[in-house]
Amino acid sequence: MIALPPDLVRALKTVVKQPTLLVAADFDGTMAPFNAEIMQVRALPESMAAVVQLAELPNTPTVILSGRDLESLRQLTDAQPPLRLTGSHGAQPDSDIAAGTGPTVALTPAQQQLMSDIETVFADVMTVHPDAWVERKPFARVFQTRALSERSPVLADELEHQVLAELGKLPGVFITAGNRSVEASVIHVTKGTWLAAEAKAQQADAVFYIGDCVTDERAFAVLTGPLDVSVRVHPDAPNADTAAKFQVTDIATASEVLQLLAELRTEAVR
């Protein structure tokens, strides 16, 4: 059992008492450890069990909110309703796929051309450095350097800076630098915009969100309600630079947070 910060425990004990509680959690780096082989990643069993438990409780809509594309997320989690999945930072809610309607956004010809330009930028770099590779999402491409960074972190840094500079020359591209990745999207949907919209749709009295990455900062930034609980997973906790209200150091502690949340919410709704 890992001791959690007392102020975080107090906040959890309060938030679980709200009539409708929206719960969301990032996947990589929060529920699951990082891996250079991104399709070999699996969530900690305790973390997955906790979100499943939460999802099965009344008035507790629960979702794994990830930057991964939805299909990859489904393969890695094998999640079943009522636990929900939302991929591509909110651009791919699973309800659309389940209904057979596909992604929520159709790219315009201009966006399709911009996607092609993004691929050209990445391809030019990969021609010289094949250890880097590109992850393809419906609305974005992600330049991945995790495998390369294990061999040469300095070179990985240089390549990330190079692609950031080149992408900056493409008007209309939305750029996010993450954990050993650079994502270039042609639509502007973030975890923050999705979470705010979902909280409104669910008429949530409070929101709990936990994540580890710069993309999660956009979610933390919208959770300004006095009862909302936001948690950043960061090795520099409790002194990391973050908009989250609380901080923990690693995924093992993040798992303890999710388990305690599930335990307290179960007691609260009995």
Side-chain angles (χ1 to χ4, degrees):
M1 179 69 69
I2 299 172
L4 300 178
D7 56 345
L8 172 55
V9 174
R10 287 193 294 269
L12 294 177
K13 289 181 176 179
T14 298
V15 79
V16 296
K17 298 176 183 178
Q18 306 316 305
T20 299
L21 173 62
L22 172 61
V23 175
D26 175 46
F27 185 69
D28 294 277
T30 302
M31 295 181 62
F34 289 113
N35 191 317
E37 299 294 332
I38 66 168
M39 292 308 294
Q40 299 302 314
V41 172
R42 292 295 184 274
L44 297 182
E46 297 83 1
S47 295
M48 183 59 69
V51 295
V52 169
Q53 180 179 341
L54 285 159
E56 292 174 345
L57 297 174
N59 303 314
T60 314
T62 302
V63 60
I64 299 176
L65 174 59
S66 174
R68 285 180 180 265
D69 72 276
L70 181 57
E71 186 54 38
S72 295
L73 193 59
R74 295 178 78 165
Q75 291 179 37
L76 295 176
T77 63
D78 194 30
Q80 302 296 322
L83 177 61
R84 295 171 53 202
L85 302 175
T86 293
S88 297
H89 306 293
Q92 285 186 291
D94 58 358
S95 55
D96 298 308
I97 302 300
T101 56
T104 57
V105 178
L107 298 184
T108 66
Q111 288 171 325
Q112 292 173 7
Q113 179 59 54
L114 188 56
M115 188 77 84
S116 178
D117 294 340
I118 292 168
E119 290 186 332
T120 298
V121 168
F122 291 164
D124 289 345
V125 177
M126 289 193 307
T127 298
V128 182
H129 300 285
D131 283 350
W133 63 283
V134 174
E135 178 186 0
R136 287 169 168 78
K137 299 181 182 181
F139 315 114
R141 298 294 183 262
V142 187
F143 187 73
Q144 297 279 2
T145 61
R146 182 162 298 279
L148 174 62
S149 70
E150 294 179 355
R151 177 172 60 82
S152 177
V154 173
L155 179 56
D157 286 341
E158 291 176 354
L159 294 187
E160 290 166 21
H161 289 141
Q162 181 180 342
V163 297
L164 282 169
E166 293 300 316
L167 290 171
K169 301 175 184 178
L170 299 178
V173 175
F174 300 96
I175 304 169
T176 301
N179 288 313
R180 286 307 180 192
S181 66
V182 177
E183 179 162 334
S185 175
V186 298
I187 64 171
H188 189 46
V189 176
T190 72
K191 291 180 178 179
T193 60
W194 184 88
L195 200 58
E198 186 66 12
K200 183 177 181 180
Q202 296 287 349
Q203 297 183 313
D205 299 284
V207 180
F208 169 92
Y209 183 69
I210 186 168
D212 76 299
C213 186
V214 292
T215 63
D216 298 304
E217 289 294 331
R218 294 168 176 170
F220 301 148
V222 304
L223 299 184
T224 57
L227 298 175
D228 294 337
V229 176
S230 52
V231 184
R232 174 78 187 258
V233 184
H234 196 288
D236 293 335
N239 299 311
D241 183 14
T242 179
K245 296 178 180 179
F246 304 98
Q247 301 178 40
V248 296
T249 56
D250 51 41
I251 64 168
T253 312
S255 182
E256 293 284 347
V257 173
L258 289 169
Q259 292 175 69
L260 180 58
L261 180 69
E263 176 185 331
L264 292 173
R265 180 64 173 174
T266 300
E267 295 174 356
V269 298
R270 282 177 179 169

